[in-house]
Amino acid sequence: MSILMTNCNICGGGEFAFGPSGRLSATGLKPKCTRCFSLERHRSYRKVMEQLVARGLFKGKALQFSEDVSANSAWFSKHEVSVYNGNNSLDLQNIDRPSNEYQVVICNHVLEHVPDDRRALQELMRILEPNGILFLAVPDPVRRMKTTDWGYPKESDHGHYRLYGADIESLLASALPHVGIYSFRQPDPVTQMDDIVFLLTKSQDTGSKILDTLQLASTIQLPERRKPMSSGANPLAPLEQYISTGFDSIEGWVDKGLWEILAFLHSQQRSINVSGGVCEIGVHHGRFLFGLQALKDPGLPALAIDVFDAQEFNIDQSGMGSKAKFIENAKQYSVRPASVSTIEGDSLMLRGADVANIREKYGRFSIFSVDGGHTADHVIHDFKVAMELTSPGGIILIDDYNNPWWPGVQEGIAKLFNNDAPTFVPIFCGMNKLIVTDIGHHQRYFEALNAYLASSPAARTKVNDRYGWKSITAQIPQRAPDFSRIRFNG
């Protein structure tokens, strides 16, 4: 990736080495500071902590479980560190400290080592004073959908009792039903790799200050603000809300009627348990990505890959985005800002190791939009990346496929199908998009979508052979999406 390296924000060091086991970051950069030995997560945590310190929320008496360099002792009137089986060793499940004792408790990459994490969470909140903050982090919970708990310390996984998944927020809320839980995603200033932290507090006033302080913060669970979704709730309600409040406020080029097609395909995915977040190469200001996020489970990853302000890589001038504007829009219009991540750089620089790291961190995606560079080379490369990162039963959208201003898009797709054997094949062409799915799900989606569109009085459709696969070509009038005929059975 084309990323400008910066100095370590913890010690100021400017030299970096390979990480554990000789790894690079997913952006292709060396992650380990040779001066303070910090990794991506430590520098991400430091950025979050510094914002809390500046607001006066990270001060007073602090207790930190396990040593790491993210926290600065100078911030606190007293900074106590507990190292398990070492100095000041405390049992997280039975903390030998008075209740309401600390203004700040820090627990990074420790909870996964504890047999009874529910008991540990309750103990951590017990020792926290009413207006205090618990700063909590676990290894990459967005890597997998569900938490895996072995019930014993698995040696091959660093002695972890469990690997947390995207369901961690519900696990936290279950263990701590009367606690405000906030998530925040912060990129490491050196490698630009994101990490996610959870900030927990007993105080609604402190929670409000957290939200006011941290850019892209969002409430995960706060009883006074969040109402549980009933079993009969409309799965498309977040998308409908986004279309009515955010879609028209963000600059971009998306046919509003496309949401009906995507909502129907989403209903098909749900019926066969296809899961995963969303990703887009070429997000501009986020108009389409935030809609895709609202369509899917908002707690799942929404990954944006874009050159953003590095416009020297936008060789065909296909949209000139702004990272600041994207972040501003995410904060205002995303249904879950904390689930949004960014990778800044030319997608052509993504190599096999980068793709593997993205897949490891975010899992496979259920919807992937290709809207980056519009040259044939960009389209071919980005389509191949999308196939690597999209789950079976997922769909990939190729933007500007029928746009005469960007002939490189159709040229790239034609070259790929003529010279290669793509594992994702067309099911739909219309509204300036080519939609493809994997070969194993082609017939199911094609037949279901064809029947759905055939019953629509507004749609004009024709079945064509496209690159040897039956697909639907559709003309649908420009209009607001009609979700009334879409049914969810899964």
Side-chain angles (χ1 to χ4, degrees):
M1 298 298 295
S2 302
I3 295 175
L4 181 63
M5 289 281 288
T6 187
N7 285 6
C8 174
N9 61 316
I10 295 176
C11 71
E15 294 185 5
F16 299 89
F18 291 102
S21 303
R23 70 168 178 83
L24 294 172
S25 74
T27 51
L29 300 177
K30 294 178 180 179
K32 184 177 179 179
C33 176
T34 59
R35 181 186 293 179
C36 69
F37 307 113
S38 64
L39 296 170
E40 301 99 325
R41 68 176 186 269
H42 303 119
R43 296 184 292 267
S44 296
Y45 303 161
R46 172 61 70 98
K47 291 286 288 185
V48 178
M49 290 177 180
E50 286 176 336
Q51 293 177 73
L52 297 172
V53 170
R55 185 63 188 271
L57 297 173
F58 228 56
K59 62 181 182 179
K61 192 174 181 180
L63 174 59
Q64 179 172 348
F65 288 88
S66 187
E67 290 180 306
D68 72 45
V69 294
S70 56
N72 184 347
S73 295
W75 296 335
F76 309 110
S77 60
K78 181 178 180 180
H79 183 208
E80 181 182 353
V81 178
S82 171
V83 178
Y84 184 68
N85 282 339
N87 294 329
N88 195 32
S89 179
L90 295 172
D91 181 358
L92 210 60
Q93 300 159 114
N94 186 23
I95 303 172
D96 185 19
R97 292 293 183 270
S99 299
N100 305 318
E101 180 75 3
Y102 299 93
Q103 286 181 269
V104 174
V105 176
I106 302 168
C107 186
N108 296 334
H109 286 231
V110 176
L111 197 62
E112 63 275 8
H113 294 275
V114 178
D116 188 346
D117 57 345
R118 289 177 63 90
R119 174 65 180 167
L121 287 165
Q122 292 160 3
E123 279 289 278
L124 289 167
M125 294 308 298
R126 179 186 63 79
I127 64 172
L128 192 68
E129 70 172 33
N131 293 318
I133 293 175
L134 168 60
F135 190 103
L136 177 70
V138 298
D140 293 328
V142 294
R143 281 188 185 182
R144 56 200 67 82
M145 290 296 298
K146 291 186 178 181
T147 296
T148 299
D149 196 321
W150 297 289
Y152 61 89
K154 191 173 181 180
E155 291 186 11
S156 60
D157 269 286
H158 312 289
H160 295 173
Y161 277 81
R162 66 196 63 83
L163 291 176
Y164 289 102
D167 60 348
I168 185 174
E169 60 181 76
S170 62
L171 299 179
L172 293 174
S174 174
L176 304 167
H178 303 296
V179 171
I181 305 170
Y182 304 82
S183 73
F184 182 75
R185 189 182 293 276
Q186 174 68 51
D188 163 30
V190 174
T191 66
Q192 294 301 310
M193 285 303 301
D194 292 338
D195 214 303
I196 188 167
V197 301
F198 299 92
L199 305 177
L200 292 77
T201 180
K202 306 172 190 176
S203 164
Q204 188 168 358
D205 179 62
T206 300
S208 297
K209 291 177 181 178
I210 290 171
L211 288 176
D212 290 341
T213 301
L214 298 178
Q215 193 177 47
L216 289 185
S218 70
T219 305
I220 286 186
Q221 189 274 330
L222 189 60
E224 295 82 0
R225 296 186 180 183
R226 186 184 186 189
K227 297 180 180 179
M229 183 175 287
S230 67
S231 59
N234 175 15
L236 297 176
L239 176 61
E240 291 175 336
Q241 181 179 358
Y242 171 72
I243 291 172
S244 65
T245 60
F247 181 82
D248 290 328
S249 301
I250 303 176
E251 182 182 270
W253 305 272
V254 183
D255 188 324
K256 194 175 286 188
L258 179 66
W259 294 117
E260 184 177 345
I261 303 297
L262 294 177
F264 177 78
L265 290 172
H266 172 52
S267 74
Q268 296 298 302
Q269 289 182 325
R270 278 187 41 145
S271 70
I272 55 175
N273 298 316
V274 175
S275 61
V278 298
C279 181
E280 183 170 32
I281 296 177
V283 297
H284 195 58
H285 295 164
R287 189 184 205 190
F288 193 43
L289 181 69
F290 300 145
L292 295 178
Q293 181 193 29
L295 174 64
K296 307 300 290 187
D297 181 344
L300 295 175
L303 178 61
I305 303 173
D306 201 291
V307 298
F308 289 114
D309 301 300
Q311 286 296 310
E312 63 271 22
F313 297 107
N314 184 10
I315 59 175
D316 57 6
Q317 299 297 295
S318 52
M320 300 181 69
S322 160
K323 190 171 185 180
K325 189 63 178 177
F326 175 84
I327 291 174
E328 177 186 333
N329 288 337
K331 184 177 181 181
Q332 186 169 0
Y333 301 117
S334 167
V335 294
R336 180 66 63 78
S339 296
V340 177
S341 301
T342 61
I343 296 177
E344 185 172 357
D346 185 357
S347 60
L348 280 179
M349 300 299 292
L350 284 171
R351 297 294 183 254
D354 304 314
V355 174
N357 285 333
I358 292 172
R359 187 167 58 239
E360 177 71 10
K361 183 168 185 178
Y362 301 103
R364 291 184 184 271
F365 301 97
S366 61
I367 301 181
F368 199 114
S369 172
V370 174
D371 192 13
H374 284 29
T375 67
D377 288 342
H378 265 102
V379 171
I380 291 170
H381 177 271
D382 292 351
F383 190 10
K384 288 181 176 180
V385 168
M387 287 191 290
E388 287 289 323
L389 291 174
T390 303
S391 62
I395 60 172
I396 300 172
L397 298 99
I398 311 297
D399 186 60
D400 282 324
Y401 180 75
N402 292 325
N403 191 334
W405 293 98
W406 305 109
V409 176
Q410 203 163 106
E411 178 189 352
I413 296 299
K415 284 183 175 179
L416 188 62
F417 275 91
N418 288 332
N419 301 327
D420 209 334
T423 56
F424 280 66
V425 295
I427 53 171
F428 176 86
C429 183
M431 290 177 282
N432 212 30
K433 304 281 188 183
L434 178 69
I435 302 179
V436 301
T437 190
D438 65 291
I439 292 171
H441 289 83
H442 172 269
Q443 183 173 353
R444 178 189 180 96
Y445 288 175
F446 165 76
E447 291 178 351
L449 183 58
N450 192 37
Y452 176 81
L453 289 174
S455 65
S456 171
R460 180 183 176 188
T461 65
K462 181 183 178 182
V463 173
N464 294 303
D465 281 342
R466 186 169 273 109
Y467 306 116
W469 295 88
K470 289 188 179 300
S471 67
I472 305 155
T473 301
Q475 288 184 344
I476 301 174
Q478 292 266 0
R479 58 175 173 78
D482 176 12
F483 299 135
S484 61
R485 296 185 301 119
I486 297 175
R487 300 290 180 264
F488 286 85
N489 300 317

